[in-house]
Every structure is written in structure tokens, then in C-alpha cells.
Amino acid sequence: MAAEAPILDEFRRLRARVPQLTGALAAGVDGLVLAHDTPGIEPDGLAALTAAALGVAVRVTDATGRGDFRELLVRGADGYVATYAAGRTAVLTLLAEDGVNVGRLHLEGRRAGARIGELVDAEATPPRRSPAKSSAKSSAKEPAKPMPTRTRNARTARTTANARTTTES
């Protein structure tokens, strides 16, 4: 991946701004590692767990009507795991010590996620053709959707549940 070096540069700048940061990982929403700086942590396993947590977080935000996924924070006895949306197809997961300033972690994590998202999205977007070569068919393409979307909304879930209850009675 061509964006790996710039992502690693972003990780270095992020560590300078948040000294309590102990690891950083950029992954696709499918759980594949894009870049990592996770000493002592197996990146493929962390990326897979991040994708699983992302799936649950997306469903929670959907079920509660809170909109598209933006971030997830988990606090353990020894620190934090924070995951941020990074463009349309990636997420940024940060590991931090327990004493981290959580506000600063969020501020810097959101900014880094936005920059990494730009890098990943730019690489995923095919180069534009010159106007002379493009056809009407290619100009009618739908723009890419941000982050994974819900499979059904809360109203559909309630209607389905009500229908099951009525049928079972």
C-alpha cells in the first residue's frame, strides 16, 4: 500500500502530541492492516478485533438513531483503546496509558483519523479521466458511501419484531 509510509509519519506526529500513546493501527473496515506501530501487540489480531468492535458500534449507533459511526472508546484497568473513523473505508485504533488526557486523545485521534482517511480514500479512488474520454455512463456513478452502513433501520427492526409477536400470538 502506497499510503503506508505517510500513515506511519502520522503515527510519529501523533505520538509526539500524545506522549502516553503506546500504539497505533490503521485498518480497513474489513479488518486488514493498513499500517501499524503496535509494539508488543499482534497487529492482525488487533485489526480483526477492531473490525468486530466496529460492527457492533455501527449497529448500536444505528439502533439508537445516533447516525454514522465516529468513534469508540474502551477503558481497561491499564489504559484505553480508542477507535476513530478514518474516511470511507478505514479506522484508526489508538492504545494509550491510563493517565492519558482523554480529551487530548480524542482531539488528536479525530484529527489523525481525518488525515489518514484522506490518504486511504485518495488511494482507493481511481484517477479521474479527462473530460474527452469520460462517458455519460461514468459521470452518473454514485459517490462512495462513508463507513459501513446499517443493514436495516430501527423502524424496520421494530416492525419486524411486532410482526413476529403478532404472528406468534
Side-chain angles (χ1 to χ4, degrees):
M1 166 175 216
E4 184 176 10
I7 292 172
L8 291 172
D9 287 342
E10 184 61 38
F11 290 170
R12 281 187 279 284
R13 287 189 298 272
L14 190 55
R15 279 184 181 263
R17 292 187 305 266
V18 184
Q20 296 84 7
L21 206 61
T22 59
L25 172 118
V29 294
D30 56 3
L32 295 177
V33 175
L34 302 175
H36 70 91
D37 176 14
T38 54
I41 306 286
E42 201 274 310
D44 291 324
L46 180 58
L49 288 169
T50 296
L54 175 64
V56 172
V58 166
R59 293 188 76 177
V60 168
T61 57
D62 177 43
T64 58
R66 299 299 181 244
D68 292 333
F69 171 82
R70 293 290 181 254
E71 59 196 47
L72 173 67
L73 180 68
V74 177
R75 182 177 184 202
D78 297 324
Y80 294 87
V81 179
T83 300
Y84 302 92
R88 296 184 310 266
T89 61
V91 291
L92 168 66
T93 295
L94 301 177
L95 309 174
E97 296 171 356
D98 190 42
V100 71
N101 177 325
V102 177
R104 181 68 181 222
L105 177 67
H106 281 321
L107 176 69
E108 298 298 345
R110 290 171 188 149
R111 288 177 178 169
R115 285 189 289 273
I116 290 168
E118 289 171 3
L119 292 168
V120 172
D121 290 349
E123 188 172 291
T125 305
R128 292 183 160 238
R129 295 184 201 175
S130 67
K133 293 182 182 179
S134 65
S135 66
K137 194 176 197 179
S138 66
S139 65
K141 284 185 181 175
E142 217 175 279
K145 294 185 180 190
M147 294 305 295
T149 56
R150 51 195 168 259
T151 54
R152 59 185 185 162
N153 64 29
R155 182 183 295 164
T156 305
R158 282 192 303 275
T159 305
T160 305
N162 291 339
R164 284 188 193 131
T165 305
T166 306
T167 342
E168 292 169 0
S169 301

